[in-house]
Amino acid sequence: MSENETQAAGWYEATAVARPIRPRLNFELDVDVCVIGAGLAGLTVAREVAQRGWSVALLEAGRVAWAASGRNTGFVLPGFSEHIDDVVERVGLDHAKQLWALSEQGVDYVRRTIEETGMPGVDPVPGWLQVSKIDNDDENRAYVERLRWIGADVEFWPTQRVREQLANPRYFNAVHSRRAFHIHPLNYALGLAAQAEAAGARIFEDTPAVTIDATGVRKRIGTPNARVRAGHVVLAGNVHLGALMPRLAATLLPVTTFVMVTEPLGPALNEIVRYRGAVSDTNRADNHYRIVGGANSGGERLQWSGRMRAWQADPRWVARGLTADIWRNFPDLGKIEIAYLWRGTLGRTIHRMPQIGEIERGVWLASGFGGHGLNTSAIGGELVARGIIEGDQTWRLFAPYELVWAGGVLARAVAQGLYWGRSPGEQVRQGLSRYREQARIRKAARLTARNAAPKEPDQGAGEAVE
């Protein structure tokens, strides 16, 4: 855990609800289930196990949600990082429909948990708009129809409707997900922790798991000051499993993205960004944004994320790039002042699907949630808990997406190269779309002017009449 990763997570920490200081584990402990990692997946497992009456201990090397779970964009979206067409090609239509339904259940889980428990400070706001910077109406209309066939609640937005909500001439059509929403992810994680503890779970912070002996009926997990014995172990540590389980950590490609929150932007923000839901204008790591804040924080602000790196770069190195991205899309916002800027490192699998299930007897995995939104950590945690206690086999729907080595340092370089290399090609397509649109506008203007011009009398006809 680097020094920068342990620092306050910017805007989220500044607006976080109160949290207790949780103790280190310094005594021997025997439980039914031991969860390693207090991110959103691990917290969900602990909550669900405890609510079913089993004893559970959760070990966290830092503090609850200190890593990606408390630093992400806060988008709660149906679907997965893998394109749905590729999911259908790999597992078939019926199987793909079942996986999509699980992603929708993950969205419902987050929404229901917030509503039923009255979590403070989570502030859900409905809607997600996936905007195209290319004039590809037919392509996206067909995509919407395929999503509806899978079971998604989506609609197609034409260019005019998009630009009424987002004052950006670079934007064309969009896919609108009505069931998606965005939240304060750190406060949601803190709420999950409180709910888990209320149900009987025990959470230990500053308690890294350093060894694990998975042989036998009772698993043994070593920490710096004590040992835990458990019938089941759940690995929910993502890329931070590190030395504990190198084989699993090697299946994840660490991807670092950067998030900034502006100073309050005043009335201009509401005139330029009228849409209150979450917005993504790319399928890659940027740009994803939403409006946050309000009267209690001095005014509304724009939260903006992007500038993916395959290594943990200093956020200050990308500050200028992020503000340039905002200005390029919304120049009428004027000068952008950064109030908060931070990074978060997530784990992305090669097949772009989560890793969920029992990897050996009594050892469970809930990981690989990078790039999916917060629905997959929710449904992954619930499926693991059901699998442990009820013997539920639904998690096997993810079996086709096995553990695959992520390729190490070379794969990081390739991923970064692909990220940078695709940009010029995409920019050309975007530029051509804008050029064609302007050409259509000029042609329409010429036709209008020609039709409006007064017609000269027909001299030959006049002479004939005389």
Side-chain angles (χ1 to χ4, degrees), residues 81 94 121 183 189 228 262 302 338 344 380-381:
S81 180
D94 290 341
I183 63 172
V228 179
T262 68
L302 192 62
I338 300 176

Side-chain angles (χ1 to χ4, degrees), residues 36 59 207-212 221-226 243-245:
I36 300 173
L59 308 181
T207 305
V210 294
T211 62
I212 180 169
I221 303 93
T223 74
N225 300 311
L244 177 66
M245 296 290 284

Side-chain angles (χ1 to χ4, degrees), residues 5 16 39 212 262 293 316 409 455:
E5 292 284 16
I212 180 169
T262 68
R316 292 173 295 181
V409 175
K455 296 182 178 179

Side-chain angles (χ1 to χ4, degrees), residues 342-359:
W342 68 94
R343 72 183 182 193
T345 301
L346 52 88
R348 197 189 74 189
T349 59
I350 294 299
H351 47 57
R352 304 176 71 87
M353 290 290 283
Q355 299 172 334
I356 300 170
E358 190 176 25
I359 56 176

Side-chain angles (χ1 to χ4, degrees), residues 160-172:
Q160 180 180 354
R161 186 173 181 184
V162 171
R163 293 180 181 174
E164 287 172 355
Q165 297 294 313
L166 302 168
N168 185 343
R170 294 170 174 266
Y171 286 171
F172 290 91

Side-chain angles (χ1 to χ4, degrees), residues 127-175:
W128 176 49
L129 204 59
Q130 188 175 12
V131 182
S132 175
K133 293 181 180 177
I134 300 169
D135 190 6
N136 57 346
D137 281 27
D138 292 342
E139 180 182 330
N140 263 347
R141 286 183 189 276
Y143 176 55
V144 165
E145 290 306 313
R146 293 198 302 277
L147 286 177
R148 287 175 175 169
W149 179 250
I150 290 293
D153 181 10
V154 294
E155 60 182 348
F156 176 83
W157 277 23
T159 299
Q160 180 180 354
R161 186 173 181 184
V162 171
R163 293 180 181 174
E164 287 172 355
Q165 297 294 313
L166 302 168
N168 185 343
R170 294 170 174 266
Y171 286 171
F172 290 91
N173 59 76
V175 178

Side-chain angles (χ1 to χ4, degrees), residues 196-431:
E197 289 176 318
R202 305 179 73 173
I203 301 176
F204 299 95
E205 294 183 325
D206 198 17
T207 305
V210 294
T211 62
I212 180 169
D213 180 359
T215 60
V217 176
R218 306 295 290 175
K219 319 303 178 186
R220 294 171 175 81
I221 303 93
T223 74
N225 300 311
R227 185 175 64 174
V228 179
R229 290 181 297 273
H232 297 267
V233 178
V234 181
L235 302 168
N238 217 335
V239 294
H240 302 287
L241 287 172
L244 177 66
M245 296 290 284
R247 180 172 62 92
L248 295 180
T251 66
L252 298 173
L253 180 66
V255 173
T256 298
T257 57
F258 302 87
V259 187
M260 63 169 283
V261 172
T262 68
E263 294 286 359
L265 291 172
L269 180 59
N270 284 320
E271 291 299 317
I272 295 168
V273 183
R274 296 187 178 95
Y275 183 70
R276 310 303 292 187
V279 181
S280 300
D281 66 16
T282 179
N283 289 324
R284 300 182 299 132
D286 48 17
N287 301 300
H288 308 281
Y289 58 91
R290 61 189 179 120
I291 293 175
V292 298
N296 294 333
S297 58
E300 292 184 326
R301 308 160 185 256
L302 192 62
Q303 177 184 301
W304 195 277
S305 72
R307 297 279 163 168
M308 184 275 282
R309 294 290 183 273
W311 58 84
Q312 292 188 352
D314 190 317
R316 292 173 295 181
W317 296 353
V318 302
R320 183 176 297 179
L322 287 172
T323 54
D325 290 342
I326 296 177
W327 185 86
R328 189 180 302 111
N329 284 279
F330 303 110
D332 291 341
L333 285 176
K335 186 177 181 181
I336 302 298
E337 298 286 350
I338 300 176
Y340 302 90
L341 175 61
W342 68 94
R343 72 183 182 193
T345 301
L346 52 88
R348 197 189 74 189
T349 59
I350 294 299
H351 47 57
R352 304 176 71 87
M353 290 290 283
Q355 299 172 334
I356 300 170
E358 190 176 25
I359 56 176
E360 58 183 271
R361 187 169 182 81
V363 180
W364 298 76
L365 184 62
S367 186
F369 299 116
H372 302 286
L374 306 186
N375 70 303
T376 48
S377 57
I379 194 60
E382 186 179 34
L383 289 180
V384 168
R386 282 162 39 188
I388 291 172
I389 297 177
E390 301 166 10
D392 185 275
Q393 299 291 298
T394 305
W395 60 267
R396 292 190 180 277
L397 288 171
F398 291 96
Y401 297 95
E402 67 281 356
L403 301 179
V404 179
W405 181 55
V409 175
L410 177 60
R412 297 191 196 186
V414 171
Q416 190 68 60
L418 289 173
Y419 171 76
W420 283 334
R422 282 185 299 190
S423 295
E426 290 181 357
Q427 290 171 6
V428 169
R429 293 185 67 195
Q430 294 166 13

